[in-house]
Structures are given as structure tokens and as C-alpha cells.
Amino acid sequence: MSDNVPVYIQIHDEIRRLIEKGQWKIGDRLPSERELAQEFNVSRMTLRQAIQTLADEGIVERKIGSGTYVARRKVQETMAGATSFTDIVMSQGKIPSSRTVSYKMTIPSSSEIEALQLNGHEHILRMERIRYADDEPICVETTSIPYHLIQPLDREDITKSLYRSFEEKTEYRLGKAKQVISAALATERIAELLDVHRASAILVTRQITYLSDGHPFEYVRSQYVGDRFEFMLER
Amino acid sequence: MSDNVPVYIQIHDEIRRLIEKGQWKIGDRLPSERELAQEFNVSRMTLRQAIQTLADEGIVERKIGSGTYVARRKVQETMAGATSFTDIVMSQGKIPSSRTVSYKMTIPSSSEIEALQLNGHEHILRMERIRYADDEPICVETTSIPYHLIQPLDREDITKSLYRSFEEKTEYRLGKAKQVISAALATERIAELLDVHRASAILVTRQITYLSDGHPFEYVRSQYVGDRFEFMLER
DNA sequence: CAGTGGTCTAGACCACAAA
DNA sequence: TTGTGGTCTAGACCACTGA
């Protein structure tokens, strides 16, 4: 292991790797703190710090008098860090996928001009996707991005892992995000895309992600099936 | 102080109380961990655990090699999670009000037993309120609290400003809150209370607020009219 | 009952900040 | 150089869970 990285972080990473590798599955009990401490050759307090970090991240759950278990889902990460649909779904043990319904360079609508603080002469990329968890449609997501920001990215960068590609291939860094959540009834078109009845309850979110310098980066409107998705947050 | 409450929680509460009292103001440096440990007559590790909890809550900030400082209160503090009903309504230039529909001591339901971690023999206070903005009904809110926690409070304390009264009149301190947001259709009863059509879109939130020692304090279920309310988050 | 996580002690050495 | 928070040890006792 590398030097000058605290031991408890190294142990945290190792245990997390083992869980991801499948050494322990969801609901499994980990070895006791005393056993793990011996195994990693550290004191129990140090081992506990590693477990504490995992617990803070929602990766494991501790039960007094019983043991430490691989958690069913991460609660905190959902709204805390960079919320990607992929992370949320995977943390619940389901397989995320998506289908791109449309993808085009176009002229912004008035709401896009306002959200992205455009002058009306710039072009944007607008794409619409349906997102699935275990092949069940969960939401329809419309993303709009000023074209000049993502010029160096190709379509695969954008549709596969936008945030990572963007930070890797440009000098920009992402900053805060503002999100508004409301509820509405499904329109005919949305109902069809999501395979629900017309006038089902829909959880609607509109999010603007900003660059670290405060300029808008993307504007995302999502419509989730009300009974297939929940937002979780901790404060 | 009560027994069987961990020392580090007691110290956490005491330091927090001193900060609120003005012993140290925003930006002030607290005494060093070694000093505080001596002052509270505990080991440094225990004192650190108290400071850690305060840091997690954003009440203090640690700076390596420098010290521990009282964190500056940000306006964004409320925006870190979701903003409160009162704040959102007032920020839109409207006047918030509420009407209590029911208020009674009763036996907890199974979902309340689970959310509040009760044993089934304890009583709870359950109250139901309708919240308005400029006299337009916005949401129905059901709050459940273990009775023993609010025994010293009277009905006005509870309905007017529960959190403040609770922290003023008891030794308990409030900690984290977990919230889940989803969407559903209005039931007949909710539709009537909120003056909307049956099967309107409803934004549903369930929140559990915890004490600083991790025990549940209250369980709140809210149902907002979908086209009259939005949640705003920043992250 | 034995085993678990939760708490706590009284030290220690480190990297870092500030004077 | 001094003092700070960050990490770490090798024990200890507790309340709780589950057989």
C-alpha cells in the first residue's frame, strides 16, 4: 500500500473493493471488527474508523450486538454528491440502462435560454433519454447543454458518462447544482414512453448544473414514474 | 445530565449550547482539543468524537495545524437540504398559515413504530395540519412524535414553533433528518382537504428527524398539491 | 450465554500552520 | 519552533443481539 495515505482509508478502499468484487454480497455480515482488525494488522479503533467511513457512505450498516452488514442501498449518496441516475440505481442493486430517443443540435427554447443564460444566438445540444432499472422504465430525461462547452466531446462521451468526460477533456470544472422538484400528471406521450397509464403521478425535476465559475453548464428536466422512484436526502 | 447518554454526545450538546449562548462567536477559534479534553475531563479521543459530530453538522470547521473554528452561518444553510415550507412561501412574497385538523395522544401505527423505533407500548402525539400560502391550501402534513419527548411542552409550543420550543425546554438537541420524496395521486380525503380534484398529482414526502444522539424525534408525512408547490435544493 | 458493536482511556508520533 | 488537528495503539467495560 502507498505511504502517507492513512491506514484506515486504505482499509476502507480494500473492503469496498472486496464488496464490489462480490466477496460479501448485499445483506451479508462482514467479519467482526476484532477479526478484521487482526486480519489487517491494526488496532480495533483504526479498523472502526474504516468501517465508520463505509457506514457514512451507506455502503455498510452496523447493528449493535449483531454485526456489520453490506447495506441494501446507499441513502446519503443519492442527493449528496454528484447525483447520477446510474449511481442511484446501481446502489440499489439494479442494473441501469438507457435509450436515447433524440439527440440534436438546435436553437434553444425560451426556457432553455433563461435556464442556461444564453443570448439566443448560440446553439445547444438537446437530447432526450429514457432511463431504465432492470429494464423497467423509470424516467424520461431531457438534457440541454450550450454547444460550445461540449464541442471537444463526441457523442459517446456525452451519452455514456458526460460529467467524467467533460472534466477529463476540458479545463472546466463542475460546481453547484440547483434542483426543483414537483409533481404532475403524465401526459399522453410521457405515459407511453414510460409504459404507465395516462394521468399517472409523475415526479418532475428540473436541474441546472453550474460550472465552478458559476456559468450554467446543463439544464435537465426529468420525469419519473411516481411509484417506481423516490428521492432520498439527508441533512 | 442523564446517565447512559454517551459522554461525547453530552459534550457535543454542551459545546453547541455554549456556541448558541455566544461564548464563542462565528469565526472564533475554540480551545484546542487537548485543552477541551482536560476541561471536560475526558481523553482526547472522546473529545474528538464530540468535535467530529459538530463538524459533521457544519457547526464547527477544523483546520489542520491551526485549530477548530465556529463555522459561519450561511444563508445557504437552509438550501443545503430542502428549504422549509415557511421559507419557501415567504420568499415568494406570500403569507404562510396553517390549520390544525386533529391533535391527539394515541397508539402508534406499525409504520410509526418502525419510523420512530418504538416498542409498541409507548404513546405518541399525532397531529394533522393543513398549510396555506395566502389562504390557498398547499399541503396536508401529519406529524408523529413519541409522547415522552414532548411531555414538558404545551400545545401552543408544539403547534407554533416545535423545534425552537423543544430545544429551549428540554436538554435534547436535534440532529440529522432523512427525507424521501415521491409522487402519488390524491386520495379522496386528501383531495377534499386540499380543495383539488380527486386523482390530482401529489408530491409526497416522508421525513424522520433525529435527536443528536440518533434516536428518532419526529416522523412527518406531507402531501403537497403538485401544481402549487415545488421543492428547491442546492448541492 | 458468548459474541457483537459502542464507548472510552492514556498515551504516541505525524504533517501542517503560524509566528 | 511551538501548537494544532490527524492518525494510531492496546487495552478496557458496556449494552445489546441471538442462540
Side-chain angles (χ1 to χ4, degrees), chain A residues 82 84 86-87 153 156-174 217-218:
Chain A
S84 81
T86 306
D87 290 340
L153 276 63
E156 188 173 328
D157 288 335
I158 292 167
T159 55
K160 293 293 187 224
S161 55
L162 172 61
Y163 293 169
R164 205 185 56 209
S165 306
F166 180 71
E167 294 208 316
E168 272 173 12
K169 299 201 174 181
T170 73
E171 291 301 314
Y172 296 112
R173 288 296 168 268
L174 295 173
F217 165 63
E218 63 161 5

Side-chain angles (χ1 to χ4, degrees), chain A residues 112-151:
Chain A
E112 287 166 329
I113 289 175
E114 189 192 339
L116 295 171
Q117 297 171 27
L118 301 173
N119 58 30
H121 301 297
E122 302 161 81
H123 281 63
I124 60 160
L125 166 69
R126 185 194 299 139
M127 59 182 169
E128 189 172 42
R129 279 184 292 187
I130 304 176
R131 291 183 171 280
Y132 304 83
D134 281 355
D135 297 326
E136 186 178 42
I138 303 296
C139 83
V140 175
E141 183 185 278
T142 306
T143 304
S144 310
I145 311 177
Y147 176 59
H148 75 273
L149 287 175
I150 49 170
Q151 219 157 1

